[in-house]
Amino acid sequence: MGFKTDYARVHGSGAAGEGSHHWWQQRVTSVALIPLTLLFIFPFGRTLGGGHEAFVATYSNLWHALVAVLFIIAAFSHLQQGLQTVIEDYVPNKAQRTAALLANTLLCWAFGVAGVLSVATVLFSA
């Protein structure tokens, strides 16, 4: 039995300090996705069924390309954070959790970079 207070006994053994940052980042991306989704969906919807020429015509416009890039970045960042929370909460084995977190991060980054590069290719090729 020690003479430490309750606070002194538990101080330093709590969260890793990333919880509030992760929480805020998740909220910021979710709020950013509201207008970005609307601004992305309408031009994208007009290109559906129009073929490659319609896609190039829409995303060769700097405004539409910028909105698409911001949407892709926010969406894949939000997806990565959400899946990270699910993996941390529901995968009990530490090795499997580490592998799943690594795969989650790599796949979200890979798909995000592929999306940004595809929009940039259309923008700079036109």
Side-chain angles (χ1 to χ4, degrees), residues 75-86:
F76 279 104
S77 175
H78 189 74
L79 174 67
Q80 188 269 332
Q81 294 165 2
L83 289 174
Q84 177 183 340
T85 301
V86 170

Side-chain angles (χ1 to χ4, degrees), residues 44-114:
F44 183 75
R46 282 184 292 212
T47 64
L48 291 178
H52 181 68
E53 295 80 23
F55 183 80
V56 170
T58 300
Y59 291 104
S60 61
N61 178 339
L62 181 62
W63 170 251
H64 293 309
L66 180 65
V67 168
V69 166
L70 291 174
F71 173 78
I72 290 168
I73 290 170
F76 279 104
S77 175
H78 189 74
L79 174 67
Q80 188 269 332
Q81 294 165 2
L83 289 174
Q84 177 183 340
T85 301
V86 170
I87 291 167
E88 288 171 346
D89 288 347
Y90 294 109
V91 178
N93 185 325
K94 186 171 177 148
Q96 290 175 345
R97 182 173 45 241
T98 303
L101 287 171
L102 181 63
N104 173 40
T105 301
L106 291 176
L107 286 173
C108 286
W109 271 92
F111 287 130
V113 167

Side-chain angles (χ1 to χ4, degrees), residues 19-38:
S20 62
H21 174 72
H22 182 88
W23 187 87
W24 273 110
Q25 197 173 20
Q26 187 101 29
R27 296 319 178 267
V28 168
T29 56
S30 64
V31 169
L33 279 169
I34 295 169
L36 286 173
T37 300
L38 295 174

